[in-house]
Amino acid sequence: MKLHDSGVYLVNGKLTETAPANVTPEQARQGTIAYGILKAHNQSGDMANLRMKFDSMTSHDITYVGIIQTARASGMEQFPLPYVMTNCHNSLCAVGGTINEDDHQFALSAAHKYGGIYVPPNMAVIHSYNREMMSGCGRMILGSDSHTRYGALGTMAVGEGGGELAKQLVGRTYDMACPGVVCVYLTGRLNPGVGPHDVALALVGATYANGYVKNKVMEFVGPGVAGLSADCRNGIDCMTTETTCWSSIWQTDAVTEEYFAVHGRPEAYKELKPAEVAYYDGCIELDLSTVECMIALPMHPSYAYPIRELKANATDILHEIETRANEQLNGKVRMDLCSKVQPDGSILVDQGIVAGCSGGTYENLCAVADILRGKSCGNGVFKFSAYPDSMPTYLELVKNGAVADIVSAGGIFRECFCGPCFGAGDTPANGEFSIRHTTRNFPNREGSKPGEGQISGVALMDARSIAATAANGGVLTAASEICDHEFTAPAYHFDRGMYDKRVYDGWGHAEPETPLKFGPNIKDWPEQPALTDDLLVRVVSYITDPVTTTDELIPSGETSSFRSNPLRLAEFTLSRKDPGYVPAAKAVKAMDAARAAGTLPGEVAAVYRALSAAGYSVSPEQTNIGSAIFANKPGDGSAREQAASCQRVLGGAANFAREYATKRYRSNCINWGMLPFLVEDPAVFGKGDYIFLPGVRGALLTAADSMPAVAVHADGTVTPFTVRLGAMTDAERQILADGCLINYYKHH
């Protein structure tokens, strides 16, 4: 794999560093597939500053209640575009009593009232339904899930926080500067046993840490594309999220055309390819024949190694990985991976899972069945489960015998459910090592709770190598070690009949008289204050990890059931990373309530005296008090807006960071009224310090490049420093000034 140090041109399908003499770089930038799709959806007329409307949207049952509640509070009367609501995350009805199914009933009533599309529980995982039924060449889809990626089907899809979807529901646009585009130039063919997750993990490993494609579009082209099936392309594509790119798009061809024909939507196909001359801001050259069977070790998809290399250096590599993991766990519990290495050097695995939008596809599960046919994985120690991505896939696997092959080998065949991807299904035992064809292996993504003394290790692998490991009794095995042939899945026949019988499609047929059905756990968003002229915040959490994931900001798994109840969910904020955060944030919020009532808490009065002695003028009536956190690089991972809204509900007013891991987390902070400050030297303040931001509202609204800040330490000394907010649209600045997106729509 080669990552170019500079931009490249694609001229008649060939890479070159120079353009034809008669073509300017700006003209060549317009030759990418991405540029054409973005231009078609841009409402501003200015391609440097995009204002986009999408063709459709999608959410699952962790996010749609909050989005609809936000849009209702902002004046929405009906859905202005097709909005698919799936139920593939909170479908364990025993968790939290009735509240999961109450959310589903809310969504069905909303689909009737506003004209939406409701996919019942266990019918399909969110991204598979959208691939099957909503994708189309040249379209754009916005989803409130980070793995909203349908680029392999010619559809630019974007995963964002709920606030961005709410904007679309009230007729506003998705605003951003035009992103850069990076060419992923594929050549060669995959070797036997190598699957889509192997390619994906190789790409993530090469691009995540260096930020090569951060907030850019990955555009897949080249002769190697033709040798990949639609399922394989989809499996690679959904994992582009883990590179931190903004979106993805692929050239389309006869394989894409056949996909849409098989799914009964031939009109959704059209050829997409770069112009004769196209300029890319970077280029990744990948010869598919060089990709090996891969494994991404705990606790990130970018910790990727060839399985061959891991097996040759098992103790050294696993020791390095477990040391890094234990540093990240901050001594709460210790991960032990080296004990999995046997005297003969082999590595024992306790569990294998193939699931979700990346793993549970038709061809993956056919390959699993092919490997397990006539074998045994049910030895009482190693456990194997498979989750199909949709009921049409499930039905076809039943018809062709794949389900029988998997079950006969001792595997468990489950329903269409995203649970293993976020810790709500097949949680391994404490100390176990699980290999998974799912999207992430972040800390606790498998469901363990380090705060309660539990930890298990999760590695990502392709379904083929997981099946090879299962067939080998749980001894880690690459599929290339046992496969001397290419897998040829039986022809797929899509039967949409079950969707026609079960999915409610109200698009274009809103029934405004339908009442929304509220369960006792569904609550409105609490009101948030507008930004005052000055702001005082207390740093209640100080996180020095290189990256802080959204899973650490607000855990997944069992907490998901409370995502329709902002106050109850907020109790889990940072619970696995900093258990003292919630009480500390509540204490600051109580101080602001006292200030607003006319009583200045003694602690705050002491801060004001220190500021006054240093020459700063403070007006308690014009200075809200809020909490804040510092993290080096927060926001990697999920698009869930609750990573920001939970902080806001607890009185959060700002975040301080060296940089933000993703656009979507920063957007969530903005939409919830939390100032996303950038700071060059975080050593100027610490946990427990107060930070005073004089004139912050004026500096925000006048788009000041930087603004003053003053740290007030426990001993009364002060340290002036400077903060920045980075690039923002005028609307984003006004949202922050108004206090949150809901306030913004009320006022404008």
Side-chain angles (χ1 to χ4, degrees):
M1 191 182 310
K2 177 183 177 182
L3 275 61
H4 287 247
D5 294 331
S6 59
V8 301
Y9 292 88
L10 193 66
V11 180
N12 294 319
K14 304 293 184 181
L15 293 175
T16 176
E17 294 184 358
T18 58
N22 62 338
V23 178
T24 68
E26 285 309 309
Q27 289 173 327
R29 286 182 184 276
Q30 299 178 25
T32 66
I33 302 171
Y35 185 93
I37 296 175
L38 292 172
K39 183 177 181 180
H41 291 80
N42 182 30
Q43 309 293 304
S44 72
D46 174 10
M47 284 299 293
N49 296 289
L50 303 175
R51 305 287 183 266
M52 291 183 290
K53 290 192 174 182
F54 289 78
D55 295 296
S56 66
M57 299 198 314
T58 189
S59 297
H60 50 60
D61 45 350
I62 282 179
T63 55
Y64 57 55
V65 173
I67 292 166
I68 294 170
Q69 292 287 68
T70 300
R72 285 179 63 234
S74 303
M76 178 195 68
E77 295 183 354
Q78 68 178 49
F79 295 156
L81 73 171
Y83 185 17
V84 174
M85 293 171 283
T86 67
N87 297 280
C88 50
H89 280 57
N90 282 348
S91 50
L92 293 177
C93 297
V95 179
T98 70
I99 61 180
N100 288 336
E101 193 61 23
D102 292 344
D103 284 356
H104 302 161
Q105 292 301 306
F106 173 89
L108 179 57
S109 67
H112 279 274
K113 185 178 184 68
Y114 300 118
I117 301 169
Y118 173 84
V119 183
N122 303 127
M123 287 297 294
V125 303
I126 177 173
H127 303 309
S128 295
Y129 183 86
N130 280 277
R131 289 171 188 155
E132 293 168 346
M133 303 300 293
M134 305 302 293
S135 62
C137 297
R139 295 181 188 175
M140 290 191 74
I141 296 177
L142 182 64
S144 56
D145 183 89
S146 54
H147 291 94
T148 307
R149 291 284 190 268
Y150 317 126
L153 299 173
T155 305
M156 284 187 68
V158 180
E160 270 286 3
E164 294 301 325
L165 278 77
K167 288 178 183 177
Q168 296 282 308
L169 290 178
V170 294
R172 303 299 179 99
T173 56
Y174 179 95
D175 304 341
M176 65 179 292
C178 192
V181 184
V182 173
C183 172
V184 184
Y185 193 80
L186 301 180
T187 59
R189 294 181 66 88
L190 295 178
N191 290 313
V194 178
H197 228 34
D198 298 315
V199 180
L201 296 178
L203 281 169
V204 173
T207 59
Y208 171 78
N210 58 25
Y212 191 77
V213 296
K214 181 179 177 179
N215 293 332
K216 295 181 173 66
V217 178
M218 295 177 75
E219 185 160 306
F220 289 76
V221 298
V225 173
L228 300 175
S229 68
D231 263 9
C232 188
R233 297 178 195 183
N234 285 331
I236 297 168
D237 184 64
C238 74
M239 286 294 290
T240 59
T241 293
E242 304 310 321
T243 68
T244 70
C245 78
W246 176 72
S247 188
S248 63
I249 192 67
W250 293 54
Q251 67 186 45
T252 62
D253 55 16
V255 172
T256 326
E257 186 174 21
E258 181 184 16
Y259 178 92
F260 286 117
V262 166
H263 287 80
R265 299 190 294 120
E267 74 286 351
Y269 175 76
K270 68 178 179 181
E271 185 182 31
L272 299 176
K273 63 180 181 179
E276 291 184 2
V277 180
Y279 177 79
Y280 294 91
D281 299 282
C283 179
I284 303 167
E285 288 188 71
L286 176 58
D287 179 351
L288 294 169
S289 68
T290 66
V291 177
E292 299 183 60
C293 293
M294 302 290 291
I295 182 169
L297 292 167
M299 301 162 50
H300 199 276
S302 65
Y303 299 161
Y305 296 82
I307 295 176
R308 169 193 53 78
E309 181 180 338
L310 172 63
K311 293 177 68 173
N313 305 277
T315 300
D316 290 343
I317 292 175
L318 291 179
H319 176 71
E320 177 185 348
I321 292 295
E322 74 178 15
T323 299
R324 177 164 47 188
N326 289 328
E327 289 174 355
Q328 191 171 344
L329 291 165
N330 296 324
K332 295 176 182 176
V333 67
R334 294 194 63 80
M335 181 179 291
D336 177 12
L337 296 175
C338 290
S339 65
K340 303 300 178 183
V341 182
Q342 303 304 295
D344 63 358
S346 63
I347 303 170
L348 285 185
V349 179
D350 302 291
Q351 182 192 60
I353 305 291
V354 176
C357 59
S358 64
T361 61
Y362 175 74
E363 287 184 3
N364 281 344
L365 292 176
C366 283
V368 168
D370 195 18
I371 293 171
L372 288 180
R373 188 175 301 117
K375 306 290 196 311
S376 171
C377 64
N379 63 0
V381 177
F382 182 84
K383 290 91 61 179
F384 177 75
S385 295
Y387 295 70
D389 63 349
S390 73
M391 287 304 290
T393 295
Y394 197 157
L395 177 61
E396 194 67 8
L397 292 169
V398 169
K399 289 180 176 178
N400 70 21
V403 173
D405 290 328
I406 292 170
V407 172
S408 296
I412 304 299
F413 208 87
R414 301 196 185 275
E415 68 278 15
C416 311
F417 180 41
C418 294
C421 292
F422 65 96
D426 275 307
T427 299
N430 177 56
E432 288 194 334
F433 186 33
S434 176
I435 53 175
R436 300 186 169 209
H437 191 151
T438 56
T439 54
R440 289 191 172 127
N441 60 336
F442 289 171
N444 329 121
R445 269 273 169 163
E446 79 297 340
S448 64
K449 299 179 181 179
E452 298 181 15
Q454 309 166 4
I455 190 65
S456 51
V458 173
L460 301 182
M461 286 169 49
D462 188 80
R464 291 149 191 79
S465 292
I466 295 173
T469 300
N472 200 13
V475 176
L476 188 71
T477 306
S480 56
E481 298 177 51
I482 66 168
C483 299
D484 56 2
H485 67 282
E486 293 188 23
F487 299 104
T488 53
Y492 179 68
H493 303 93
F494 176 73
D495 183 350
R496 63 170 289 166
M498 62 198 72
Y499 287 161
D500 293 335
K501 295 179 179 71
R502 293 283 293 124
V503 173
Y504 175 75
D505 186 351
W507 167 240
H509 306 284
E511 302 168 359
E513 70 284 357
T514 302
L516 290 176
K517 191 168 185 178
F518 289 90
N521 188 60
I522 298 175
K523 307 296 183 183
D524 290 331
W525 291 110
E527 292 189 6
Q528 301 300 333
L531 180 64
T532 45
D533 293 339
D534 304 331
L535 180 64
L536 182 68
V537 296
R538 190 181 191 202
V539 180
V540 296
S541 187
Y542 196 98
I543 303 170
T544 57
D545 293 348
V547 179
T548 302
T549 69
T550 45
D551 281 54
E552 292 170 313
L553 292 165
I554 181 65
S556 57
E558 79 286 355
T559 63
S560 300
S561 294
F562 303 111
R563 293 246 162 80
S564 301
N565 187 331
L567 293 172
R568 194 169 180 187
L569 178 65
E571 295 291 330
F572 295 93
T573 311
L574 278 169
S575 58
R576 292 177 181 168
K577 190 66 184 175
D578 184 358
Y581 169 80
V582 171
K586 286 182 174 180
V588 175
K589 188 173 183 180
M591 287 192 291
D592 189 54
R595 174 203 63 83
T599 302
L600 195 64
E603 184 176 322
V604 177
V607 171
Y608 285 173
R609 287 195 296 271
L611 288 168
S612 180
Y616 295 94
S617 176
V618 184
S619 170
E621 295 79 12
Q622 297 300 319
T623 307
N624 283 349
I625 305 171
S627 58
I629 69 168
F630 167 77
N632 274 310
K633 189 178 179 181
D636 183 32
S638 173
R640 67 178 80 106
E641 66 179 304
Q642 292 91 347
S645 66
C646 284
Q647 294 176 56
R648 185 63 167 156
V649 164
L650 292 170
N655 280 346
F656 295 88
R658 288 184 181 273
E659 65 174 303
Y660 289 86
T662 58
K663 174 194 175 298
R664 53 184 175 267
Y665 174 68
R666 183 173 179 270
S667 295
N668 287 337
C669 291
I670 293 170
N671 286 330
W672 279 105
M674 290 202 308
L675 294 152
F677 287 121
L678 295 165
V679 57
E680 289 188 8
D681 182 14
V684 298
F685 59 86
K687 185 175 180 178
D689 287 348
Y690 283 86
I691 297 176
F692 179 57
L693 297 137
V696 63
R697 183 182 177 93
L700 168 71
L701 292 176
T702 57
D705 291 334
S706 61
M707 58 187 73
V710 187
V712 183
H713 310 295
D715 61 2
T717 60
V718 301
T719 304
F721 63 104
T722 300
V723 295
R724 295 182 297 110
L725 282 171
M728 286 186 185
T729 65
D730 290 342
E732 287 176 327
R733 294 180 183 278
Q734 191 61 56
I735 289 168
L736 285 167
D738 289 343
C740 67
L741 184 66
I742 294 174
N743 293 354
Y744 172 76
Y745 286 132
K746 287 179 180 178
H747 299 158
H748 307 278

